[in-house]
Structure formats: structure tokens, C-alpha cells
Amino acid sequence: MESSSAATVSAVPSPGPTPADLLRRLRARGAADPVTHVERVPARPGVPAPWPSWAPPELRAAFARRGVVAPWQHQAQAATLAYEGEHVVVATGTASGKSLAYQLPALATLLADPRATVLYLAPTKALAADQLRAVAALELEGVRPACYDGDTPRAEREWIRRHSRFVLTNPDMLHHGVLPGHAQWSGFLRRLAYVVIDECHTYRGVFGSHVAHVLRRLRRQCARFGSTPVFVLASATSGDPSTTAGRLTGLPVTAVTEDASPRGGVTFALWEPPLLPPDSGPSTPVPPQSTGDHDDLQQIRRSALRETADLLADTVAEGVRTLAFVRSRKGAEVVAANARRALDDAVPGLGDRVAAYRGGYLREERRELERALLHGDLLGLASTNALELGVDLVGLDAVLICGYPGTRASLWQQAGRAGRSGQEALAVLVARDDPLDTYLVHHPEAIFGAPVEATVLDPANPYVLAPQLACAAFEAPLTPADLALFGDGAKEAVDQLVAAGALRQRPTGWYWRHRERPEVDLRGEGGAPVCVVESSTGRLLGTVDGGSSHFLLHSGAVYLHQGVSYVVDDLDLVDGCALVHAEEPDWSTHARDVTDLSVVSVRSYVDAGPVGMFLGEVDVTSQVVSYQRRRIATGEVIDTRPLDLPARKLRTVAVWFTLSPQSLTLAGVQPADVPGALHAAEHAAIGLLPLMATCDRWDIGGLSTAVHQDTEAPTVFVYDGHPGGAGFAERAYGTASAWLRATRDAIAECGCESGCPSCVQSPKCGNGNNPLSKPDAIRVLDVVLANLPG
Ligand SMILES: [Zn+2]
Ligand SMILES: [Zn+2]
């Protein structure tokens, strides 16, 4: 989301402490200094550029009326490349004004050629509506911008197809509406000059792979109608945006990454909550699904939630306007409640100046909240990042980020809320008990240096390619030339569709055989979603993707929905429905599974003496067999109950490494400790993969074994949790030494003695985190790194 013109309200008169003073006071509280690094991100003046000579005076005047006197350099550079016909991706920071980079060439072209058209794609309807307002506000004659999505009334659709020259939509609508109905769009597509893809980093994994083919289908239709539009993409900063944009569009794309917009200075502190004294007993944790914290694991570090609550109370007590970002609603409520309590203990009534922001507020309520915070009636707010999408808040004095939000783009988006115009602000990242967070607070270069995390997608995934080719064939028969457009694996996928009776081969190409069009859901993952229904009322609470349903919705599972606790009475796999009732037991549930993995084929490998590194297809069979009930307050296991759920098979892509038993013995790993060493290395490696690729550790699975039947050696597998793979394992293979180096460092640098959630324990382990050997995991990774080339 871009908001290049967010209003900065500075109605609070008192200047408050400087960020450096404030940080000094915060870190002086405890015995040990929790700050691992302080980065001064200096203020940066903007570098303006002259309007490109091709930008018509009419357009310059329109922008000037909206307060844009001149573009920043990166905007002008990207705009000119696009105007000259190059496909371009602009990958710069939050609020750097990426929209001008595509509006400028697109609108200049619409003004110069009264027939030309532009198609704009956003990942959400809300963003498209936002952009519609921005383009409409320019009041350019003859452009007639319009949103075309599921909400567009039928009556308006035809008018838009005929008369709008700037259509804003989303990939789902392109897939379900525009492309299958291309005949009605022929006039628009024939004259299509630009395709704008906003927030293109959101097209990742399986969804991103589908979108990549939707774009190829669009290019094919354009070519049939004789147009070759220029693609302009906008992305958050990430590693290698040119390659990612190229994969997404199938075209060579030039990247513009030098951000020339101005920004305020920020003092950015990395904060690691202290280890608890050994005899202090467990702190009071909160259920894991609701907060992202892991109550089932032995807590040896003070929780990020408690630490954030204390920091929020301290900054509010200093009169500093502070926003705390927490990953879940429940977590945000816990942080606000604890901060309020601490403030009321100090000064009764002061707690009223802290609130929790729970998404789903009405627009007026959100505006009221903004007003209260900007005017200082409210000093502290704890929020999920829902706020990123709903509330326009800038110019805060401090931002607390409870747990790494998953990507650098989100991190900077959150930190970017700090800083009134011209004034320094404080941002604090509070590490959670998690290998990635631990690594980051000890490796500031991974946050402040050049980005390494890339947006990955895999258009060659056969589970995506085949249904997309079916859609393409429905739209127009496939020709041999089309196969090149759809890339690697297209011929095989077409052959399979012919064998399955979906396509018929004729001398002129491949034809879709059915009347109805293929049903393909761009966002469908791991089978049909399972509905969660409240038995007493029949109310649909939500859906859970098929892949997670056995874990989260088995009979007896405690299921949290928007902070309310339910217990599952029955999971009906045939109907795809789980019946639940509201109940708040004092235990949480944790499913256990057994997993079996076999190697189907090897795509690529590195033979490094005693070590082998592989990428290939695997079959993973897993079955949820039982669940534990554990006391929320203590983590004590109450009992383990069996479950009767069918095994599920997943054909996917994995990366794996093998080591010779001799090399392990030489490194000092006793044979009895090999399983624990590999298992610990596997957990940490999964935890660190999001450093290299934008994925969640829940997108990935792992398996380790002292002898695997297919590799005949000690082996660690890490696989994509989506049928056909989503690109994560491939990225892991491509960056293996950097990835495993970071994994090794995260384990070695953790201050715990024998393993904790910050290093080798995993919240989703199917084996209850047993066995695990932290020191031997380091030895295993040292052997791999010593042998693996660069
Ligand atoms: Zn540890
Ligand atoms: Zn495990």
C-alpha cells in the first residue's frame, strides 16, 4: 500500500525526550542490557528530478494541483524506461511514491493516443479503490478510470469494457472474468498499452505461480489481438526484484531500486528479551494459535509480549506517542492490558491512555482512533498489522515491533510509522523466541544491509501449470508456439491433459473438450478449504485450508477464532466441515503426526565429498495420529489422545543434504546422537529459510533421519508444504551455503544451554521436539559448510 501523501499531524506540543535519551532510559531498566545493536538510519533528503520531456504540460499541471511539484529521481527514471517501452520494476521503500512511476507513462500515453488503454492489477480490492481515487482526482479528460471487480454492478460492466481506458482490477477477476470473456474485451485488449502490477511482491508461492500464468494468458490474448503492452511493476524492496518480476511476467524486466524519496531519521534498536533465571518457573503464556508464541515449549527467555508491554508502559509514562505492532489480535490485547495495568499501578488513570486496536472497526471508529492518537489523548496503541491496511498513522515518536513481521518489507513498513516531519524517532524490534528473530538481532547486517530475501514463485509447478493450460485452451486452442510462452514443463502438462481427456489434439493445436470452463482457484492450496461451523447456531466462523485442517480441526482440538476459543466436536472430511462449540478450557491441544518421505527424482545435486546437496521431487506421506492436551498456565501435559484420520500424500519439491557417517564421527558426533543432531539442524534450518525467501515456516516441512532408505545416509530433508512445490525448496538449494551458515550461527549464538525455541525447538514438531542435540547440530552444519562450495 502506498500513501505518498499521508498527512502528518503534529498537534502534540511537547517535544519529549530524544530517541537516544529514550532508548538509554529503556535499556537501563534491567540488570542485563537487552539491546544487541543500535542503528542510526540517517535522515535522507529527497533527490528531485525534472519532469521528463515527454510528460505533457497538461499532466504535469494535474500532478501539480495534487501537490506533486516534481518527481523524485527513481520515479522519473522508471517512468522514462517504461515510456520508452522497457518492462520495468520499481522496488523501493514504503511511501516512496511508486505510483507516480507508473501513472506518469501510462497517463501520458493515454493523453497522447486517445485510443490507448491501461490495465492496472492490485492484490486487493481496497488498493485498487485507493488507486482509482488517485487517478480520478487528476481529472484528466477522456481517461475514465474505473474499477472492475466482483463488486462492480452488472449494469456498469459493459460501460466499463467499452469506455474506460484505465481499468483497475485484480488477478482473480482477470482470471475468472476478463480472460474467459476476452471477446467482450477485444476492443480494450487490442489497444492495451500498459499493464501495471502493483505490490507485485505479494504474488509469491503457489498463488504467485498461478498469477504468473494468468499474466501469460493475458499476453497471449493481447498478441492474438495484435497488442504488446509494456509491463510496469511496483514491489517492496527485496532481493533480486528483476529476476522475480521476470518470472512473474515471463519477460525481461529492468529494476529500478535506488530510492530517492526523502525520509526522516530513525534510531533503530534490536532488542533481545533476557533469559529468565533458571528457577523462575514458566511465565504465564498465552495460547499459541492466537499469539504466535509457543506455550508448549520450555520457555527460558522472557516473552516478547511481556517485554513489549513493559516498553509500551515505559514510553507512555515518558509522554511519548507509541505504536506497538503485535502479530496477532490476542497478542495485541495482552500487550495493551499489561501496559495499562503497569501504568495504573504507577499513576492511577494513566492506563486509560493505552488502547488495543482490533481490526474490523468501522471507518469512523478508525478515524476517531487516529484523531485520539495524533492529538495525544491516546499515547499508546497496540495493534496487529491490520493497521497497515486500515488506519493512516504517521508521525509517531516511537514504534515497537513485537517479533519480526516476516519480511523486511513489513518491518520497514511498520518502522516507517515512526518520525514526525524533520524529527528523529525511535524504532525497536523485540525478538521473539524463534530462530529467525534470534539470528536477526545478532546479525543487524541482515536487516540494514543489502536485502537477501527474495519473493519466490515456481511457474513450472505441474500442479499449477496443467490447470492454467486448461484455462488457456478454453480461451483459445493452444498452439505449439504457445508452449514456449508457458515455459518449462508445458509440453508434458499438455500431454497429460490429452491423456486425461481434457484436451484433444488436432493438426491446428490442442482444444479444450468440455463445454464448461475448467474450475481453477488461484488461491486454492492443499485441497478444498474446511468450513468451521458453530453447531448451535449454524454460523460459519471461517475456513481453514485443507492442508492444515487435520492439525487444527481434529475432534477435541481447541480452535481460536478472532480471540474466541472453540472446541471441535467433529471433523467431517467428506463434507469438508468442522462442527465446533464455544468453550474456554484451561488447556491447549497439539497434534502429532508421523511422516514418511520417499525420493521420486533428483533434479540437481552438488557432490561435495562426504556431503551431498540435492534438489528434487519427493512424496511425503503424513498422518495426524494423536494430540496432546497441555495446561495453558504451566505447559504440563495432561494426556495424549489417539486420532483416527487418514494419511495424506503430497508430491512436492524438497532440498536435502546427506553426510557420510564417517564425517560425523570425525566431527565428534557419537552415533547415538546423530538423530538428535540432524533433527535439531532440520528445525533451525526451517526456521531460518524465511531469511532467504518470503515464506512462513508453516509453508515448509522437514524430515531427518540417521539412515534414509533412498539416500542410504544420514539425511535432512526440507520440503515445500504445497503440492508441486512453491519455490521455497528451490531457493533454499540455490542459496544453500548462506542459508545453512545463518542456521549454524543462529544455533551457536543462542545463549541457552541445550536448545530452546530461539534455536532448535520447533512449535510444529510432530515428534514433540525429541530427540534434539544442540551442540551436535552445530557439528553437523560445520561439516556441511566445510565441504559445500561457497
Ligand atoms: Zn536456544
Ligand atoms: Zn521435529
Side-chain angles (χ1 to χ4, degrees), residues 195-256:
V195 177
V196 176
I197 306 175
D198 207 352
E199 303 280 294
C200 69
H201 58 276
T202 56
Y203 304 127
R204 63 175 193 89
V206 173
F207 175 51
S209 309
H210 271 292
V211 173
H213 288 297
V214 172
L215 295 174
R216 283 158 178 75
R217 283 161 50 202
L218 171 66
R219 286 175 49 212
R220 191 170 77 114
Q221 288 303 333
C222 287
R224 291 182 66 232
F225 293 122
S227 65
T228 48
V230 173
F231 282 70
V232 188
L233 303 94
S235 165
T237 46
S238 70
D240 211 358
S242 159
T243 302
T244 305
R247 268 198 170 193
L248 187 62
T249 56
L251 294 162
V253 182
T254 307
V256 172

Side-chain angles (χ1 to χ4, degrees), residues 300 750-752 755-760 774:
I300 64 162
C750 184
C752 73
C756 72
S758 292
C759 54
V760 298
K774 177 183 172 181

